[in-house]
Amino acid sequence: MITAGIDIGAKTVKVVVAGDGKVLGKGLVPAGLDTTAATEQAFDKALADAGLSKDKVGGIVATGTGRKDCTLTDREITEVGAAAKGAVQVLPSCRTVIDVGAEEGRTIRCNGAGKVIDFAFNEKCAAGAGTFAEGMARALQVPLEELGPLSLKSKKATQMNAQCAVFAESEVVTLIHAKTPREDIARAVLDAVASRIISMVRKVGFEKDVMVIGGVALNPGFIEGMKRGLEMEVFVPEEPEYVGAIGAALAAAE
Amino acid sequence: MATKAKYKTAPLKCWKKVKELRLKYYEDYAKAHERGGLRWVGGAWTFSAIPSGLGEDVYSLTSEPYGASIAADKQMSLRCLEASEKAGYARDLCAYMRNYWGSILINEYAFGGTFPKPDFIWQDHICCSHAKWYQVVSDLEGGLPNFCVDVAVGPYEEVAPHKVDYIVEQMQDGIEWMEKVTGRRYNDDLLIEAVKNEFRSTSLWAEICAMNKQVPAPLEEKTMYSLYVLGTLNKHDRSTADFFEELRDEVKERVDQGIAAIPNEQCRLMSDTQPPWGFLSIFRYMEEFGAISVGSLYTFGLIGIWEDKPDGSWGPRTTPMDQGIEITSREQALQLYADWTLAKPEWQHFYSPHIKTKMMARIAKEWKLDGIMLHYNRGCEGLSIGIAENRLGLIEAGYPVMSFEGNMGDEREFDETRVRARFDAFMETLGVAKVGRA
Amino acid sequence: MGNQAVLDRETFETFRNWRVNRAEYAKAWKERTGRKIIGYFCTYAPEELIYAAGILPVRILGSHEVQDVTEPHIFAMFCPFCRDCLAQGLKGRFDYLDGITIAQSCLHIRQAFTSWQKHVPIDYSYYLPMPHHVQSARATPFLAKELELFKASLEEWTGKKITDDAIDEAVEIHNRNRELLWKVYELRKGDSPPLTGEEAMEMVLSSQMVDKQDHNAALEKVLARLSKRDSTRPTGTRLMILGSEDDDVEFINMVESCGATFVVDDHCTGTRYFWNNVESAGDRLTSIADRYVKRVPCPTKDWPDRTRVEHVIKLAKEYDVAGAIVMQQKFCDPHELDNPALTKALKDAGVKTLFLEFDVTVPIGQFKVRVEAFLEMLQDDDLF
């Protein structure tokens, strides 16, 4: 059976078309202001990618914060449930999923069937999410996608003293004035995000294997910070932003 | 999506009466001076029976329910919170107080008119803000006679005569002080009457809550909030004790007839700490899943007084009257009153979260719960203390726990959409699907 | 380095070493004496009684490092200090403690104690219900009874009676320590105080970490040297610092490098800790109880009157301060409830204030900008 999973996030809409547990096509479109249009576009993209027409799709499930607004289906699954299903599909040994998006971080503990055992969200605090890194990259005058690679050049850990996003931005400026190497500042920023996320992870605890998904997982500096903080290897799937949509597509087949 | 109801439901018959009693309370306080009476203020946990000895025309305003009343009015609350912040009070302080202080600052009474200035303050102290709240109230009112009784003598399981005495001695001092600041003579008969009323009302409330062990539950927590409130206003008053008796009889009737609080109960939960008062709609949302909050340590134990029953279950504490004790003197009344109140379940966690975890796990078992929702309440450090340890302890005891952050009295710190999303995920984890509202 | 400079440096080096190497000190003490060590969380803990039991009381403080281990245990709305303290326990940095105790004070630090009880291996713990109503005559007799229970509990744990002589000796040693600290503070009243605020902080902090007999000996030495100390360091603007728990030496150092000197404080890591002695108030335990009931209070116990406000104004006058830095640990409710009244009283007394909120780590850069602007304002006041 061919199914589709639609993940409507705060910044992007992701669609996966799957058949018998295999991903056949994918599409990603910025959410913009018109989510309905963006969802349709992403769906079309995924269908085109799979080389299938709409009528072949036997079931659709929506997930993500915007799932209630999805006009293509009324079947839904929470982003927590979708992430667990998707992660175990991508990596069967996965038992802990850490999902870090633009505005929020989540930790999900699951079993081998992709069923959620426990989960935690980070509380309202920008320092534990992608937006924080984005703001800091701006203060450092580095494009966001270069922040991670830049931080990897750092040989020295620098502690960010400010615990809040507003103070942190001026602290970055202070560090720049103090002639701190830019790579060290980049690392300090990403370590700070990782530290916040790890705080949340410890709340539910973690078990091998640990997978990091969500947009921020694409940042190699952040991933290094996570490995150092958790003192273990973490797994990042090839396209971490699609894991939720994969989970939704699997749910559609159930 | 509408489904056929699993259980029959019916509105509470005494619903109107509780609303009337509540409004009368706020009106009595405001109009006390017109009638030649006295007005005092203090917290919901204060020994409110004691000022009763000053006469039958003595009326109180308790700060926490008053702050909650303001919180339910989002417009007024925002103006109050901002007024407190402008006066220099930090945003992370108790949200009830920031509403209450704001109401003094903008000089508006939430029940109409200007804020009625009290004659004196009569407070207790267990949370490290309690007595401090009223220092601020006194500052804002240009100085008020202020007496607070320290009750932080340790958990009830370690109660000892010198601990009770410390409280009783402060009460004795307080009575002398009250006579001085009001110029009235103290009447011990009125005190004894009030203390007996309080034994009755706080025991009856526990009895009512214990009936929620029934499946389907006859009451759901949102309704219970509107009922227990009398115990936070006027627990020492005959009207409260009588009302709780009437309510007890009605709830018993509901149990006997199998009347449920919600039509499709399929998932029994409890909450913890005060709810975000501006967002009680979240309880209605839960109903869509057939999920019911049957109460909480907060709802049960904020005013309810409990004890271990011979069969090992948790139930209402037997009043001194039911034990055949005749109360004949001030000293005896105060001794019994202090000991009775020290058993309050919501006073125990101040010394150790581990005691609270035990009580919560006990509720989870006896009330047959499927899961627990913990409100990490930024508005109240007194009830949020140790909450993270409670979470760990309850998980260890085998209960699924969902936590969410919010604030009982400051809506700026509550994100309804996110909390609903979290609730969805929690229901999914428990394998509970929506049933729709009948 | 000249002799004078060496003298200057060495004078306070002992204290600094003790503070920085508190674990090494404690382990060596244990090795030397074969006795137990108790960690306490708040300065309301009756150290005299613990000491009389032959146990070394040491204060548990944080490390000022960002950490990620306390989130599962303490809700983030509570102060960073209590979380930092707990982190030390969870990370095993106080593995030399045999027991822990807390004297009831604020709700925040209490959580470090209760989580420690459950999650850090420890042989002994004791919660002392220190009364809050310290302005009531009923508090001392109540605490005296509680001290009896605490005494019995300590005796049971150590298997040894606490003798009257041991209590007398412990009281004498502790009183001596407070008198010596007080004498050093007296010297700060002069036109050119012979020590900095940073040195004063190191001195008081270390007294919370080592055997008072060792500390007394070091203090005697310091007092003898201070009179000979070269005071070439310009005093600059005389400041006071007050507020909640504060052992942020780095912050003090930053301010004092901007042309200012702290001459006095109101902190539980400073004057509040040692200001009052045990005086005879009846039997031994009543006398000790009375000391803790009547000491300069933490705001959480300062009600219904705000006695601390008067005390702070008196300090500001006696030490002739030009301005005051009012700090508090973020989310510290008791201080937040006093600060508006305190700031107003200081203003009325002609003392300007700068308010700063501290976290486990403070952003030195931003704080420096504020401190410099504050000092500039105070210096302008001086001109006109």
Side-chain angles (χ1 to χ4, degrees):
Chain A
M1 178 174 161
I2 306 288
T3 59
I6 301 177
D7 179 2
I8 307 178
K11 292 216 153 160
T12 53
V13 179
K14 284 86 47 177
V15 176
V16 161
V17 172
D20 300 326
K22 277 203 182 64
V23 176
L24 304 174
K26 284 178 296 213
L28 185 149
V29 168
L33 291 174
D34 186 354
T35 326
T36 311
T39 305
E40 274 163 19
Q41 275 176 40
F43 190 36
D44 291 344
K45 251 180 143 171
L47 285 171
D49 189 34
L52 290 165
S53 62
K54 218 178 255 183
D55 55 310
K56 294 276 184 307
V57 179
I60 306 177
V61 164
T63 186
T65 47
R67 68 179 184 278
K68 303 240 189 280
D69 303 326
C70 186
T71 49
L72 299 174
T73 178
D74 61 359
R75 289 176 66 194
E76 56 177 72
I77 180 174
T78 65
E79 44 274 57
V80 174
K85 277 190 204 305
V88 173
Q89 167 71 18
V90 174
L91 177 73
S93 59
C94 173
R95 294 294 174 270
T96 308
V97 190
I98 302 169
D99 183 356
V100 190
E103 294 179 335
E104 198 168 59
R106 292 184 272 271
T107 308
I108 305 150
R109 298 270 304 272
C110 56
N111 66 16
K115 189 184 165 347
V116 177
I117 296 167
D118 194 7
F119 63 91
F121 285 55
N122 69 344
E123 298 306 338
K124 274 199 277 183
C125 168
T131 310
F132 177 79
E134 203 175 322
M136 298 310 115
R138 208 167 37 237
L140 205 52
Q141 295 178 345
V142 173
L144 181 58
E145 54 281 11
E146 284 170 30
L147 191 67
L150 177 65
S151 76
L152 295 180
K153 291 184 195 144
S154 166
K155 301 237 159 18
K156 188 171 159 271
T158 309
Q159 182 167 286
M160 288 277 287
N161 286 326
Q163 311 279 313
C164 103
V166 179
F167 266 16
E169 194 155 335
S170 58
E171 188 170 344
V172 166
V173 176
T174 309
L175 288 170
I176 295 170
H177 289 164
K179 307 251 179 307
T180 310
R182 293 155 71 81
E183 58 268 27
D184 290 348
I185 304 178
R187 173 168 165 185
V189 166
L190 294 169
D191 279 353
V193 181
S195 161
R196 274 291 157 124
I197 294 291
I198 290 167
S199 256
M200 181 236 334
V201 172
R202 289 197 196 281
K203 209 170 141 183
V204 282
F206 54 94
E207 193 188 341
K208 282 211 296 189
D209 285 333
V210 176
M211 181 189 288
V212 186
I213 62 169
V216 184
L218 292 167
N219 188 316
F222 167 73
I223 296 299
E224 280 309 305
M226 291 294 292
K227 286 182 189 164
R228 274 193 298 268
L230 292 173
E231 293 172 345
M232 69 191 294
E233 211 31 66
V234 302
F235 181 83
V236 181
E238 229 168 272
E239 291 177 304
E241 63 275 36
Y242 281 107
V243 174
I246 294 172
L250 292 174
E254 284 169 8
Chain B
M1 124 184 88
T3 38
K4 195 174 169 312
K6 202 160 131 195
Y7 302 113
K8 60 182 167 186
T9 56
L12 273 177
K13 284 181 255 173
C14 58
W15 187 251
K16 212 177 125 218
K17 190 159 184 188
V18 70
K19 297 281 164 191
E20 284 164 8
L21 284 168
R22 176 171 170 269
L23 279 180
K24 182 175 178 301
Y25 171 83
Y26 286 110
E27 211 178 276
D28 282 345
Y29 173 78
K31 292 195 176 147
H33 282 182
E34 282 170 34
R35 302 168 184 163
L38 290 174
R39 287 201 289 242
W40 64 270
V41 291
W45 279 343
T46 196
F47 294 103
S48 58
I50 290 177
S52 297
L54 292 171
E56 287 173 289
D57 55 353
V58 180
Y59 299 97
S60 69
L61 178 71
T62 48
S63 43
E64 301 94 321
Y66 181 65
S69 298
I70 296 173
D73 175 350
K74 292 185 191 177
Q75 293 296 324
M76 180 174 180
S77 178
L78 194 60
R79 284 187 294 125
C80 288
L81 295 169
E82 284 177 356
S84 291
E85 277 156 33
K86 226 167 87 187
Y89 298 99
R91 204 174 150 156
D92 55 281
L93 285 171
C94 168
Y96 282 155
M97 286 312 117
R98 287 183 292 122
N99 278 316
Y100 175 26
W101 300 333
S103 169
I104 300 173
L105 285 162
I106 63 173
N107 197 23
E108 277 178 41
Y109 189 48
F111 298 87
T114 54
F115 189 84
K117 186 177 169 173
D119 300 307
F120 65 90
I121 294 164
W122 175 250
Q123 167 67 324
D124 72 314
H125 185 92
I126 187 166
C127 163
C128 62
S129 298
H130 277 154
K132 305 297 283 182
W133 290 344
Y134 282 99
Q135 273 184 329
V136 175
V137 168
S138 177
D139 288 347
L140 298 179
E141 294 279 20
L144 282 174
N146 180 0
F147 198 100
C148 301
V149 176
D150 175 15
V151 300
V153 295
Y156 192 63
E157 58 191 35
E158 288 166 19
V159 75
H162 76 279
K163 295 177 191 258
V164 177
D165 288 345
Y166 171 54
I167 296 171
V168 170
E169 286 161 6
Q170 291 176 80
M171 289 168 161
Q172 299 271 24
D173 293 346
I175 290 173
E176 275 176 39
W177 168 88
M178 244 175 231
E179 287 186 308
K180 227 185 315 168
V181 300
T182 63
R184 289 193 178 193
R185 270 199 66 130
Y186 196 79
N187 181 334
D188 287 340
D189 293 337
L190 290 176
L191 166 77
I192 292 168
E193 185 55 35
V195 166
K196 284 162 128 180
N197 287 335
E198 184 163 333
F199 292 155
R200 261 178 74 213
S201 57
T202 50
S203 176
L204 278 163
W205 178 253
E207 193 181 343
I208 293 161
C209 296
M211 286 192 272
N212 243 18
K213 292 179 184 178
Q214 184 72 18
V215 180
L219 295 171
E220 53 94 28
E221 196 171 23
K222 183 175 179 289
T223 307
M224 294 170 93
Y225 293 144
S226 301
L227 301 168
Y228 88 88
V229 70
L230 295 180
T232 67
L233 305 174
N234 243 344
K235 56 190 182 308
H236 63 279
D237 199 74
R238 176 177 287 281
S239 65
T240 302
D242 288 348
F243 175 81
F244 282 163
E245 204 166 291
E246 196 182 322
L247 176 65
R248 189 261 327 259
D249 293 343
E250 190 185 341
V251 177
K252 195 164 178 301
E253 206 179 286
R254 287 170 77 91
V255 170
D256 291 344
Q257 297 175 6
I259 296 173
I262 68 164
N264 290 303
E265 174 180 317
Q266 62 167 341
C267 174
R268 291 166 68 90
L269 305 170
M270 73 168 158
S271 69
D272 187 45
T273 87
Q274 307 90 324
W277 293 111
F279 298 94
L280 293 180
S281 56
I282 199 88
F283 288 93
R284 290 283 164 263
Y285 181 65
M286 286 164 53
E287 260 181 56
E288 293 178 24
F289 291 87
I292 178 173
S293 180
V294 300
S296 57
L297 185 66
Y298 165 73
T299 306
F300 296 173
L302 187 79
I303 59 148
I305 303 289
W306 299 72
E307 70 184 5
D308 289 325
K309 291 298 179 188
D311 67 355
S313 69
W314 216 32
R317 187 168 175 186
T318 311
T319 64
M321 295 83 81
D322 284 347
Q323 289 174 54
I325 298 169
E326 200 188 333
I327 307 173
T328 55
S329 72
R330 180 190 298 184
E331 170 70 20
Q332 186 200 9
L334 297 181
Q335 282 279 343
L336 289 168
Y337 194 17
D339 182 89
W340 178 265
T341 315
L342 280 175
K344 192 192 285 295
E346 278 286 66
W347 277 6
Q348 312 310 315
H349 70 275
F350 282 95
Y351 311 103
S352 167
H354 316 309
I355 303 177
K356 179 174 164 185
T357 301
K358 264 189 249 159
M359 286 190 287
M360 292 180 84
R362 172 180 208 166
I363 295 176
K365 186 164 168 257
E366 290 185 31
W367 274 255
K368 308 164 194 83
L369 304 187
D370 302 297
I372 297 157
M373 305 176 291
L374 299 179
H375 178 204
Y376 280 47
N377 182 353
R378 283 192 176 262
C380 178
E381 58 163 26
L383 296 194
S384 289
I385 177 177
I387 196 163
E389 285 293 344
N390 299 140
R391 182 184 165 277
L392 292 176
L394 289 166
I395 290 171
E396 203 178 285
Y399 293 98
V401 179
M402 159 196 160
S403 62
F404 64 101
E405 220 178 85
N407 190 311
M408 68 203 179
D410 188 339
E411 68 155 296
R412 297 169 299 184
E413 290 193 311
F414 186 75
D415 188 332
E416 194 175 9
T417 319
R418 277 196 186 184
V419 171
R420 281 186 182 216
R422 220 169 275 198
F423 189 75
D424 290 349
F426 187 52
M427 288 296 102
E428 206 169 83
T429 313
L430 296 182
V432 176
K434 279 196 184 187
V435 290
R437 277 203 243 180
Chain C
M1 214 186 284
N3 282 340
Q4 188 65 52
V6 172
L7 189 67
D8 277 0
R9 188 170 50 77
E10 283 184 349
T11 304
F12 285 92
E13 202 160 326
T14 317
F15 298 133
R16 186 182 159 75
N17 283 341
W18 278 338
R19 180 183 68 82
V20 175
N21 305 312
R22 60 192 94 162
E24 287 72 16
Y25 174 91
K27 285 173 186 164
W29 184 93
K30 228 170 144 165
E31 182 78 38
R32 190 175 84 219
T33 63
R35 304 209 305 251
K36 294 182 195 298
I37 303 185
I38 274 188
Y40 66 87
F41 285 88
C42 164
T43 55
Y44 274 97
E47 285 185 83
E48 291 87 348
L49 197 55
I50 301 168
Y51 196 86
I55 301 164
L56 178 67
V58 297
R59 186 168 183 187
I60 295 169
L61 291 170
S63 69
H64 299 282
E65 293 161 54
V66 177
Q67 51 85 13
D68 55 24
V69 295
T70 58
E71 185 75 17
H73 304 285
I74 302 181
F75 177 19
M77 74 178 273
F78 292 95
C79 84
F81 172 63
C82 70
R83 283 178 275 142
D84 196 7
C85 286
L86 176 61
Q88 304 316 304
L90 295 173
K91 289 177 170 178
R93 301 247 179 93
F94 278 93
D95 57 358
Y96 49 85
L97 295 183
D98 302 283
I100 51 167
T101 186
I102 190 165
Q104 176 168 272
S105 52
C106 74
L107 301 186
H108 298 247
I109 192 66
R110 198 176 299 176
Q111 293 174 97
F113 173 79
T114 49
S115 286
W116 197 302
Q117 271 182 317
K118 182 151 185 201
H119 303 283
V120 183
I122 203 88
D123 192 36
Y124 175 83
S125 69
Y126 196 89
Y127 183 101
L128 177 71
M130 168 75 207
H132 292 305
H133 200 175
V134 294
Q135 290 175 24
S136 163
R138 311 299 185 176
T140 295
F142 169 68
L143 180 58
K145 278 274 186 199
E146 287 295 335
L147 290 184
E148 248 175 58
L149 297 177
F150 185 32
K151 180 169 169 272
S153 164
L154 287 170
E155 287 172 341
E156 198 196 320
W157 182 43
T158 59
K160 222 181 81 194
K161 279 268 170 238
I162 300 175
T163 64
D164 286 350
D165 286 349
I167 295 179
D168 290 342
E169 196 195 343
V171 167
E172 199 184 305
I173 291 167
H174 282 72
N175 275 352
R176 177 81 189 132
N177 189 250
R178 294 187 272 244
E179 276 156 21
L180 290 167
L181 289 169
W182 196 72
K183 274 188 187 164
V184 176
Y185 265 58
E186 276 292 291
L187 298 173
R188 301 170 79 189
K189 285 182 178 169
D191 281 340
S192 3
L195 68 158
T196 62
E198 183 184 352
E199 288 167 334
M201 184 176 265
E202 298 276 18
M203 175 177 78
V204 183
L205 280 174
S206 60
S207 82
Q208 302 182 339
M209 292 160 184
V210 303
D211 190 322
K212 290 283 191 284
Q213 298 195 58
D214 289 346
H215 205 259
N216 286 347
L219 281 170
E220 306 261 14
K221 220 189 269 175
V222 159
L223 269 167
R225 281 177 172 189
L226 276 179
S227 53
K228 285 180 244 145
R229 205 177 195 198
D230 186 14
S231 49
T232 48
R233 182 187 175 277
T235 303
T237 307
R238 297 173 70 90
L239 291 178
M240 175 178 196
I241 182 158
L242 57 135
S244 60
E245 188 281 337
D246 177 15
D247 59 325
D248 202 315
V249 179
E250 198 194 342
F251 173 78
I252 300 286
N253 176 291
M254 179 275 281
V255 177
E256 292 191 320
S257 71
C258 296
T261 301
F262 286 108
V263 294
V264 73
D265 66 79
D266 177 62
H267 281 318
C268 61
T269 40
T271 56
R272 283 211 293 281
Y273 174 62
F274 70 80
W275 211 244
N276 309 78
N277 261 348
V278 176
E279 280 157 30
S280 179
D283 63 55
R284 287 178 173 81
L285 294 184
T286 303
S287 301
I288 294 175
D290 205 49
R291 188 264 162 195
Y292 286 90
V293 166
K294 298 214 172 110
R295 59 165 270 193
V296 181
C298 167
T300 188
K301 296 188 190 295
D302 198 24
W303 52 265
D305 295 331
R306 280 202 186 86
T307 62
R308 193 174 137 256
V309 172
E310 205 179 310
H311 171 72
V312 163
I313 301 296
K314 194 162 158 255
L315 285 183
K317 289 200 171 131
E318 281 178 8
Y319 285 82
D320 188 25
V321 308
I325 293 187
V326 180
M327 64 67 69
Q328 71 167 64
Q329 291 286 332
K330 199 168 154 185
F331 308 134
C332 174
D333 300 59
H335 280 275
E336 284 173 346
L337 284 157
D338 268 1
N339 281 343
L342 194 58
T343 312
K344 186 180 174 293
L346 282 164
K347 191 179 155 217
D348 292 347
V351 180
K352 286 197 170 147
T353 55
L354 171 68
F355 175 74
L356 293 172
E357 205 173 58
F358 278 34
D359 210 320
V360 172
T361 54
V362 300
I364 285 290
Q366 287 94 315
F367 278 12
K368 190 166 188 213
V369 175
R370 296 174 195 204
V371 167
E372 281 170 344
F374 180 59
L375 291 172
E376 205 171 271
M377 185 175 73
L378 294 177
Q379 283 148 13
D380 284 351
D381 284 352
D382 245 9
L383 292 174
F384 300 106

